[in-house]
Structures are given as C-alpha cells and as structure tokens.
Amino acid sequence: MPQPETNASAGEAAVSPWDGAADRIRAGGLRWTPQRRTLVEVLREREGHVTATELIARCRERDQTTTPSTVYRTLDLLEDLGLVKHGHGHDGREEYHILPQQVHGHLYCVGCGMTWEIRPETAAVIVDALASQLGFDVDLSHVTISGRCAGCHG
Amino acid sequence: MPQPETNASAGEAAVSPWDGAADRIRAGGLRWTPQRRTLVEVLREREGHVTATELIARCRERDQTTTPSTVYRTLDLLEDLGLVKHGHGHDGREEYHILPQQVHGHLYCVGCGMTWEIRPETAAVIVDALASQLGFDVDLSHVTISGRCAGCHG
DNA sequence: GTGTCAGCCGCAACTCGTTGCAATAGCAAA
DNA sequence: TTTGCTATTGCAACGAGTTGCGGCTGACAC
Ligand SMILES: [Mn+2]
Ligand SMILES: [Mn+2]
Ligand SMILES: [Zn+2]
Ligand SMILES: [Zn+2]
C-alpha cells in the first residue's frame, strides 16, 4: 500500500517543512504540479543560499523541459508560503534563502569579492537604529551591503 | 574668438565639476565624443538620482541615435571619475547618484512603496557598527534597505 | 591639412527576469 | 470514470544590462 506522498504525518518523524508544501498549496485552491514538485525536490536537497539561475539548472537536470518563467513563478509562490525568501546580491541579482529560519543580511567586499552573513549582534545594531530613530522595521535579509573588508582596505 | 569649450577657468566662476569633465577625460588618453558630451549635458541639468533608463531616454531626446550600450559604458567612465555613483533600488535596478558629494543610502518601504534617503546620523550608526565589530568599511550608497515605514506596520 | 592609431561606437547576441496569452491539465464533484 | 472549472504551463516578446567585435573617428604629431 503506497504512502500518500503529500502527507508527512504517517509515522512519527514529520520533520521537514517541505513535507507540508503540497498540502499547503492544495489547501489554497492551488495545484501541485510536476514542475512544482521538481523545484521542491531540488530545494530540499540544498540549504543556505541559491541563485534562481542555479535552481533552474538543477531543475533542468531532472526535467529537460523546465522553463524559467515557471520556476520564477513557483519561487514567488514558495516565498508566499515562507519556504524561501529572496534577496539581492551586490550586483542586484536574485538570491534565495532556503527555509529562512534565521534570516540574515549579507556583506560583500568589492575588494576581494567575498560575501559574509551579517551576524545577529551586528544586525541588531542596524535594525535597532532604524527602528528607534525612524520607526522603520528593517528587512535586512533582502539586502547585501557593499564595502571593503578588514583585509582589503588600508 | 571662441571660448575653448573644454576649459572653465576663463573668467572667475568655474563652478561645476562637469566643466572639467572633458579635460579630465582627455588627460587620461581617452576621447571626448559627441555621445559623451550628450550624456554630460543631460546629467548637468539634473540632480539627485536618476535611473539609467531615464538617462538613455533623455539622451535620445537630444540625439535619436543614442545607443544603450554606449550610455552604460559612459556611465562607467563617469563613475571612475567620481562624477556619478551607482546604487541599486529595492528591486536591484540601477540608480545613479549625480555628483555624489553627500553620499547616502536609501530606505524602501514595501508597504507604501516610498523611498527615503538615510540621514547621516542614522548612516553613522550602521557604518560604525560594521567598522568596529568587523573592520568592514561600508559603502552605504550602493544599497537600498527594505522594510516597513512607521506608517505601514502595526 | 593629412595621416596614424588607439579608443570608441553601434550592432548583435546573450543573461536575468517579468508578463500576456492561448492551450493544457490539476482536482474536486458528480 | 467522466466532466468541468480554473490554475498553471510554455511560449514569445519585452525590459534592463553586459559583452565581443569590426569599423569609425578623435586627438595628436608632422
Ligand atoms: Mn552595483
Ligand atoms: Mn527584491
Ligand atoms: Zn575583501
Ligand atoms: Zn510605508
């Protein structure tokens, strides 16, 4: 007897947020399609950050017929569900945070080209400053701050 | 007797940094072309921010034959001279700061779509935090920070 | 004024993303 | 299982930006 693939509560270990994706999509009157399944399969084997371009390539490995517009539209949908969250690299290109539990911003060094995550303590200073001075509620995760790292200026 | 158009020191009031552009370009072994002249004319009648797209449109008003790639390449050149400085809007698109004397970053509200400049006091907090905690020398002007303004969250 | 030559221009092709549209196909109800 | 509604797909076209290349032209030397 085959397991209903959309339901993760069949045993004891329903761990991944991806397990609920199909049901959550259908619950909204939306459809669980092969294209969406493919993207979710790709996403669940990665963590951290990915560019949309890389996701498209990985989907195409599994399904040659993958189309960019469909991937972008599905990413929008998954972002509405909170399963991914996009930001922009230093050059404005999209990057996706997968399962953004600990949301964070990025730092980019124009000298050496490296990127770092902004640590929570540092983020807090920025967020607090904008909140207290302007009442502005920052979404740092959407942003990459450019500059020069300690090793690259002097 | 015609005034040498490239020199602004003929009388007393040599005010605009644009006046020196032609000479500075030629001094580097580069060329002062009609296309570059057109863009500089467009830039000198604007201040604050502009998108590259708008600059292309304004150039085309003066010269129908204006080509995007030439404008982008000239903007790169002017950026090397410090006459403009590009940043990225909330969606990653390019924006140019004209004559960036008081460099500043931007704040974008995803609720109402408004954009504000980050005031120097606020910028200082951000810059200082990254400098003291990480030795990172921030270029805030390249960045638009997203979030929700005081009027849009609650 | 003429010649030289490196810098620049315009073009075409490409990347990343978005959007309108007609055809397809989930999915739920019968 | 079949029907029917509508969400979704793939396509094609577009907008923003970048890049390689052959031909043109500024700037300068004579
Ligand atoms: Mn940039
Ligand atoms: Mn964005
Ligand atoms: Zn560095
Ligand atoms: Zn707002």
Side-chain angles (χ1 to χ4, degrees):
Chain A
M1 190 185 211
Q3 203 75 357
E5 65 179 355
T6 60
N7 190 338
S9 61
E12 56 268 22
V15 273
S16 170
W18 296 114
D19 294 335
D23 286 344
R24 291 180 62 197
I25 285 173
R26 278 196 277 246
L30 307 181
R31 299 186 184 160
W32 182 237
T33 65
Q35 294 83 352
R36 289 175 179 178
R37 187 189 313 265
T38 302
L39 179 55
V40 167
E41 282 170 8
V42 165
L43 284 167
R44 81 188 311 156
E45 20 182 82
R46 303 236 2 170
E47 51 181 74
H49 320 103
V50 224
T51 62
T53 304
E54 182 176 348
L55 289 172
I56 292 168
R58 295 238 185 284
C59 284
R60 226 190 286 266
E61 287 173 10
R62 296 171 178 255
D63 174 6
Q64 292 246 9
T65 71
T66 299
T67 293
S69 56
T70 298
V71 174
Y72 283 112
R73 284 191 277 227
T74 302
L75 284 167
D76 287 346
L77 169 61
L78 296 177
E79 190 156 7
D80 288 343
L81 297 180
L83 293 168
V84 300
K85 177 147 185 13
H86 88 272
H88 296 270
H90 69 99
D91 56 359
R93 279 214 253 292
E94 288 189 342
E95 286 175 2
Y96 281 86
H97 292 207
I98 301 174
L99 296 179
Q101 332 217 349
Q102 179 58 69
V103 150
H104 56 257
H106 291 244
L107 242 33
Y108 170 78
C109 175
V110 298
C112 60
M114 282 229 17
T115 299
W116 299 265
E117 297 183 2
I118 300 177
R119 320 231 43 171
E121 319 90 72
T122 309
V125 177
I126 297 172
V127 170
D128 291 350
L130 289 163
S132 65
Q133 295 188 22
L134 306 168
F136 193 91
D137 181 24
V138 172
D139 170 19
L140 251 198
S141 75
H142 191 260
V143 168
T144 296
I145 295 180
S146 296
R148 296 190 158 265
C149 75
C152 285
H153 63 84
Chain B
M1 190 187 210
Q3 203 75 357
E5 63 178 357
T6 59
N7 191 337
S9 62
E12 55 268 23
V15 272
S16 170
W18 296 114
D19 293 337
D23 286 343
R24 293 180 61 197
I25 286 173
R26 278 195 278 247
L30 307 182
R31 309 217 169 130
W32 182 237
T33 65
Q35 294 82 352
R36 290 175 178 178
R37 188 189 311 265
T38 301
L39 179 55
V40 167
E41 283 171 8
V42 164
L43 283 167
R44 80 189 311 156
E45 20 182 81
R46 304 238 0 172
E47 51 182 73
H49 321 102
V50 224
T51 62
T53 304
E54 182 176 349
L55 289 172
I56 292 168
R58 295 238 185 284
C59 285
R60 224 190 288 267
E61 287 172 11
R62 295 172 177 254
D63 174 5
Q64 292 248 7
T65 71
T66 300
T67 291
S69 56
T70 298
V71 175
Y72 283 113
R73 284 191 274 229
T74 302
L75 284 167
D76 287 346
L77 168 61
L78 296 178
E79 189 156 9
D80 289 343
L81 297 180
L83 294 168
V84 299
K85 176 146 185 16
H86 89 271
H88 296 270
H90 70 99
D91 56 358
R93 279 213 256 288
E94 287 189 343
E95 286 174 3
Y96 281 85
H97 292 207
I98 301 174
L99 296 179
Q101 333 218 350
Q102 179 57 69
V103 150
H104 57 257
H106 292 246
L107 242 33
Y108 170 77
C109 175
V110 298
C112 59
M114 281 225 24
T115 299
W116 299 264
E117 297 182 2
I118 299 176
R119 319 229 43 168
E121 318 91 72
T122 309
V125 176
I126 297 173
V127 170
D128 291 349
L130 289 163
S132 64
Q133 295 188 21
L134 305 168
F136 193 91
D137 181 25
V138 172
D139 170 20
L140 250 198
S141 75
H142 192 261
V143 168
T144 296
I145 295 180
S146 296
R148 296 190 158 265
C149 74
C152 285
H153 62 84

